[in-house]
């Protein structure tokens, strides 16, 4: 009954789960697609494209750390406003990455790192929000539910990327 009330009948939990689905769409799409895009569209050698793509993950570590610190230190543990800010920033970095012309690998690296930084912050904060909302007694169930939505997006974004590539 407690878990049902705190997790399954909590509209905030469900909203965060849906948001996590879309955060993971961005995360997994860039993780899987960036090296190919850098190679096929931006004309970089495959080894260089793979190296640049590594900065996506590295920058993501800093996005996670900063997100937790900022929400604890300055936002009174309010995670959602930080997530919204991160995702707005993510959209800007995606646009910059997409619009950078062929032949600017340093800018591609910078923008792709920005995408990683700004998408991994919310990806991390979702779990923290779930634990905050569900309390210690139901945190595992809440985090598991959000994880289910996150990993389901990988399944669906694979289809989406395949469709985009065939168009």
């Amino acid at each position: 009954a407690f878990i049902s009330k705190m997790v399954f009948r909590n509209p905030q939990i469900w909203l965060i789960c849906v948001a996590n689905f879309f955060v993971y769409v961005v995360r997994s799409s860039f993780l899987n697609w960036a090296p190919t895009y850098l190679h096929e569209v931006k004309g970089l050698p495959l080894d260089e494209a793979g190296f640049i793509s590594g900065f996506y993950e590295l920058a993501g570590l800093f996005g996670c750390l900063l997100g937790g610190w900022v929400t604890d230190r300055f936002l009174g543990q309010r995670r959602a406003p930080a997530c919204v800010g991160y995702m707005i920033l993510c959209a800007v970095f995606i646009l910059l990455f997409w619009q950078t012309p062929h032949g600017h690998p340093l800018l591609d690296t910078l923008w792709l790192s920005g995408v990683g930084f700004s998408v991994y912050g919310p990806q991390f904060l979702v779990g923290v929000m779930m634990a905050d909302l569900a309390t210690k007694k139901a945190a595992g169930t809440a985090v598991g539910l959000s994880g289910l939505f996150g990993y389901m997006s990988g399944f669906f974004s694979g289809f989406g990327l395949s469709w985009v590539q065939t168009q």
Side-chain angles (χ1 to χ4, degrees), residues 19-30 119 123 126 146-147 149-151 153-154 157:
N20 195 40
F21 179 91
F22 291 105
V23 166
Y24 265 81
V25 166
V26 174
R27 179 184 176 258
S28 60
S29 295
F30 270 85
V119 81
Q123 186 251 321
V126 160
S146 72
F149 274 73
Y151 289 112
S153 76
S157 65

Side-chain angles (χ1 to χ4, degrees), residues 12-160:
Q12 290 177 306
I13 295 285
W14 288 102
L15 179 64
I16 295 167
C17 285
V18 171
N20 195 40
F21 179 91
F22 291 105
V23 166
Y24 265 81
V25 166
V26 174
R27 179 184 176 258
S28 60
S29 295
F30 270 85
L31 186 62
N32 295 327
W33 163 76
T36 302
Y37 183 81
L38 287 167
H39 176 66
E40 292 181 4
V41 175
K42 303 270 185 159
L44 296 174
L46 202 50
D47 60 338
E48 189 175 341
F51 179 75
I52 288 172
S53 296
F55 285 97
Y56 172 81
E57 292 282 315
L58 186 62
L61 294 171
F62 292 103
C64 291
L65 291 170
L66 186 65
W69 181 73
V70 165
T71 60
D72 285 343
R73 175 111 177 163
F74 300 109
L75 297 178
Q77 299 178 333
R78 291 176 44 242
R79 319 295 180 193
C83 289
V84 170
Y86 266 116
M87 291 314 291
I88 290 169
L89 187 61
C90 187
V92 170
F93 282 123
I94 289 170
L95 183 65
L96 290 168
F97 180 67
W98 176 50
Q99 292 296 316
T100 299
H102 174 33
H104 293 86
L106 188 56
L107 286 176
D108 290 329
T109 305
L110 182 64
W111 305 146
L112 187 58
S113 296
V115 173
F117 175 87
S118 56
V119 81
Y120 275 82
Q123 186 251 321
F124 161 73
L125 288 173
V126 160
V128 178
M129 280 192 292
M130 295 303 248
D132 288 347
L133 283 170
T135 74
K136 201 187 313 189
K137 293 181 182 177
T141 302
V143 171
L145 183 63
S146 72
L148 173 69
F149 274 73
Y151 289 112
M152 274 190 339
S153 76
F155 176 77
F156 288 109
S157 65
F159 286 118

